[in-house]
Amino acid sequence: STEGILFLVNRGQKVTKRYVPPDLVVPRVDTRKQGMDERIMLRQEAALALENLFQAAKSEGNHVLYAASGYRSFGSQQVLFDAKVKERGKDRAQRTVAPPGASEHQLGLAMDVQCPAQLNLNQDFAQTDEGKWLAANAHRFGFVIRYQAEWRDVTGYTYEPWHIRYLGIAHASALYRLN
């Protein structure tokens, strides 16, 4: 069911226009600018894990992470997708933005992450100290880097080192070990 944290959403398995996670909260984490609370909501379990992840990044390596985009409604995703289609055409847009109903953000279990050295969501994030730390440690807090470069043919998305998906510690650690 969509209530479970392992629910798979993609172009082939979508959530309805009406789906809203039941327990959205604002995690107590840093954002790049004030007033982004509405944009960084996650389901409660994922929000607590994100807080722990951000705190560990700070205490273990003095890494500063910013939450950039968490829960997105079907309607918000529609606006984002339509804008990208207009800018790049449908084929190219679909490699970088999920169509409405097909986004992990609508589940309230995904977060896009930034750092002071990389305030845009692009692949350069992977080369930052924060990006390297995140890739090596996210699983300890129940997150995975969801769209890996080597799995592009499977996921249908380009590499997104900034997009983390909450699966819980056991599942995220298993995926990390198995690549």
Side-chain angles (χ1 to χ4, degrees):
S1 90
T2 45
E3 304 310 309
I5 60 168
L6 295 181
F7 186 77
L8 176 67
V9 62
N10 56 33
R11 290 184 192 95
Q13 182 162 323
K14 297 183 178 184
V15 286
T16 68
K17 188 179 284 193
R18 288 175 299 287
Y19 177 73
V20 177
D23 57 347
L24 287 173
V25 297
V26 177
R28 291 185 307 264
V29 294
D30 290 334
T31 56
R32 162 169 79 85
K33 59 185 183 227
Q34 292 299 312
M36 290 186 61
D37 287 3
E38 290 296 307
R39 292 185 49 193
I40 65 162
M41 292 190 297
L42 288 175
R43 291 190 59 186
Q44 193 161 13
E45 183 180 335
L48 288 171
L50 190 77
E51 290 171 4
N52 292 334
L53 175 112
F54 276 41
Q55 285 163 5
K58 184 78 124 173
S59 65
E60 292 175 16
N62 204 27
H63 300 303
V64 175
L65 295 172
Y66 297 139
S69 184
Y71 168 74
R72 280 187 219 131
S73 68
F74 186 98
S76 314
Q77 193 68 29
Q78 179 81 61
V79 169
L80 203 61
F81 183 73
D82 291 349
K84 198 58 83 170
V85 167
K86 194 173 179 183
E87 179 191 318
R88 295 187 171 170
K90 193 168 185 182
D91 286 349
R92 283 187 65 209
Q94 286 192 321
R95 282 186 293 229
T96 56
V97 178
S103 172
E104 293 186 330
H105 286 280
Q106 192 177 346
L107 294 177
L109 296 169
M111 180 62 71
D112 291 339
V113 180
Q114 299 169 317
C115 66
Q118 188 48 256
L119 295 175
N120 297 313
L121 297 177
N122 69 42
Q123 294 177 1
D124 293 342
F125 177 75
Q127 310 321 314
T128 66
D129 290 343
E130 287 83 357
K132 291 173 189 170
W133 186 91
L134 188 66
N137 293 283
H139 67 281
R140 294 171 37 212
F141 304 89
F143 290 92
V144 293
I145 308 287
R146 182 63 176 89
Y147 302 113
Q148 299 282 355
E150 60 269 29
W151 297 107
R152 183 177 163 190
D153 291 346
V154 177
T155 66
Y157 292 101
T158 55
Y159 179 39
E160 293 191 0
W162 64 85
H163 178 102
I164 57 175
R165 160 73 194 260
Y166 184 75
L167 296 171
I169 292 171
H171 290 97
S173 295
L175 280 177
Y176 178 79
R177 281 193 309 274
L178 297 168
N179 190 25

